[in-house]
Structure formats: structure tokens, C-alpha cells
Amino acid sequence: MELGATSVKNYIDDGYSGAYLERPALDNLRDAVAQKLHDCIVIYDIDRLSRDTMHLLLLTDELEKNARFNLALVKKVTGIEPGVNLFDINTGDCEEKLEARPYVQEADVSRKLPDTIQVSLTLREPEAVVLFNKKYVMLDGDGNVLEIRKQLPHYTFLEGLTVQEAKLGQPVKIKEEKKYQEYTSLLKKMNDADLYFRKIVIQENNIKLFVKKNLYCIGTKKNIIAGMEDGNLKAVLFAINKKGIEKGVVEVGDDQYYSYSKTAK
């Protein structure tokens, strides 16, 4: 094969629409990825993975999480190879090498007699993206720089921040520190409410939460947070997504009054 694969497994959902997340072959693929059984996944058409934007984001995030560290990468970073004497392996050195990787928060490498090296990793998870020197900086919840990309990843983009320094594995330095803290607080509320927004814009009197490119919610900080905490915002967005709405504005008012307009303001 052109990809150089020596073993190939096909996952085909005949008779199932890509609009649904629960599909037998897709479920098997997700299980296989979680068990790190494959080195590469090739998708013939993105619609076959999912035709629903929210489902597609969920699946992309799931696949990326499982791809960040696999057995081959652990072996490459630590230098551990099969057949090596267990007591010739410096476990502390291996832990240091792994923890030097931006995504690794904590590593534990131990010997398990008679012939096994056990590696346990606690990974940092991307939470948001900021712009720096025309590139996109991926941050975890504590503001650590995990990755820098040329293309915008699917994590929440924080608009209106001036990044002064972004070094891999280190906390990002942002000029508007107070405003950045507002963003991180809002991200936590968003995660607690099981919500995703492609972009957040904090303005002087309100907050804009972009669900899609031309569809966003707008309201005061107080009203937005109240909607997240009581579940009303999630329910409204679920109903809008179910109707296939791609454009417009959802206003979050006092007393959790919601209104929808087809025209963006």
C-alpha cells in the first residue's frame, strides 16, 4: 500500500447515517483508538466520520487525545527497547525526559518484575487558543503552552489578547492579564456546563460566544454565566443545533430570557 501499512482494518457502517454518533463500526473504532491499537487512521470522507458539527468536534478531540502519546513515542523519548535489562534502565531519567514534553504533566516509570517497565502518564489537555506572531498557541487550563500551529485548531479561540511570549512547556505571557483571567474563569464555567464555543470575545459590556462562524450568543457576563450554571444555555443551543440553524444571534437576557434573531448584530 502507498501508506506502507502491513496490517489494515476497515471500519464500515453500512446502512447507518453519518448524522448519528452511535454506530457499531464507529463505536469499535473509538474503542480501538482508546486501546491504542492503530498507528494511523485514514478517513475516506469527513462526512463518514460525522455530518454533525458538534459530533465531529467531539470525535476529533477524542482522536487527538489518544494520538498525543502512544507506545512508539514513549519508546522514542525514553530510549527503552525490548530485551534491555530492567536494572540498566534509569527510571528517574526516563521520567525527566517524558516530563520535558509539553503535554506531560507527570510521569511515573517503574520496574515490574520479572520483565516489565510500567509507564504511567498524566497529560495536560488543551483548553484554548490565542494568536501570537500569526500562529496559534494552544494552552491548557493553567496557561501552559502545549503546541504552536500555523492553522487554527478546533479549541476555543480567545480574541482580543496580546501575547508577549509563548514558549513550549511554559506559562504564556499575556499583556492583558486581568482580562485573560476572565477568559480562563469563563472557560472553566463552559467546561463544567459541558459546552463548546469556537470563539469567545469579552467586550466592555457583554460577552460573545460563537457556536459557529455566523452563529453566536451574546449577553452580560452575569447572564451568560447564569445560563451556563442552570443549564438553560445548553438546552437552547441543543434545540438550535437540532434544527440545523447555522446563522444568527441568541440574546441571553435578564431572568434567563432567550431570544433568537436571524440577523447578526
Short mmCIF file of all heavy atoms in Angstrom, two decimals, residues 67 74 90 117 157 187 235 251:
data_model
loop_
_atom_site.label_atom_id
_atom_site.label_comp_id
_atom_site.label_asym_id
_atom_site.label_seq_id
_atom_site.Cartn_x
_atom_site.Cartn_y
_atom_site.Cartn_z
N ALA A 67 -3.83 10.30 20.35
CA ALA A 67 -2.66 10.29 19.46
C ALA A 67 -1.46 11.01 20.07
O ALA A 67 -0.35 10.89 19.57
CB ALA A 67 -3.03 10.93 18.13
N VAL A 74 6.64 6.88 23.44
CA VAL A 74 7.27 6.68 24.75
C VAL A 74 8.63 6.01 24.58
O VAL A 74 9.62 6.41 25.20
CB VAL A 74 6.36 5.82 25.66
CG1 VAL A 74 7.12 5.39 26.92
CG2 VAL A 74 5.11 6.60 26.06
N ASN A 90 17.40 3.67 33.74
CA ASN A 90 17.31 4.71 34.78
C ASN A 90 15.89 5.29 34.75
O ASN A 90 15.57 6.12 33.90
CB ASN A 90 18.35 5.80 34.52
CG ASN A 90 18.42 6.83 35.64
OD1 ASN A 90 17.40 7.15 36.26
ND2 ASN A 90 19.61 7.35 35.90
N ILE A 117 8.59 -2.88 32.21
CA ILE A 117 8.69 -1.48 32.62
C ILE A 117 7.29 -0.87 32.50
O ILE A 117 6.67 -0.93 31.44
CB ILE A 117 9.67 -0.68 31.73
CG1 ILE A 117 11.11 -1.05 32.05
CG2 ILE A 117 9.48 0.82 31.92
CD1 ILE A 117 11.59 -0.57 33.42
N PHE A 157 -11.06 29.71 20.65
CA PHE A 157 -10.16 30.83 20.37
C PHE A 157 -10.54 32.02 21.25
O PHE A 157 -11.70 32.43 21.29
CB PHE A 157 -10.24 31.22 18.90
CG PHE A 157 -9.35 32.38 18.53
CD1 PHE A 157 -7.98 32.25 18.54
CD2 PHE A 157 -9.90 33.61 18.20
CE1 PHE A 157 -7.14 33.32 18.22
CE2 PHE A 157 -9.08 34.68 17.87
CZ PHE A 157 -7.71 34.54 17.89
N LEU A 187 -13.91 29.85 30.70
CA LEU A 187 -13.64 28.53 30.14
C LEU A 187 -13.98 27.42 31.13
O LEU A 187 -14.52 26.38 30.76
CB LEU A 187 -12.16 28.42 29.74
CG LEU A 187 -11.75 29.10 28.44
CD1 LEU A 187 -10.23 29.14 28.32
CD2 LEU A 187 -12.35 28.38 27.23
N ALA A 235 -29.47 23.94 26.83
CA ALA A 235 -30.74 23.47 26.27
C ALA A 235 -31.13 24.26 25.03
O ALA A 235 -31.59 23.69 24.02
CB ALA A 235 -31.84 23.57 27.33
N GLU A 251 -29.72 36.03 22.04
CA GLU A 251 -29.51 37.00 23.11
C GLU A 251 -29.92 36.39 24.44
O GLU A 251 -31.02 35.84 24.57
CB GLU A 251 -30.31 38.27 22.84
CG GLU A 251 -29.79 39.07 21.66
CD GLU A 251 -30.32 40.50 21.65
OE1 GLU A 251 -30.31 41.14 22.72
OE2 GLU A 251 -30.74 40.96 20.57
#
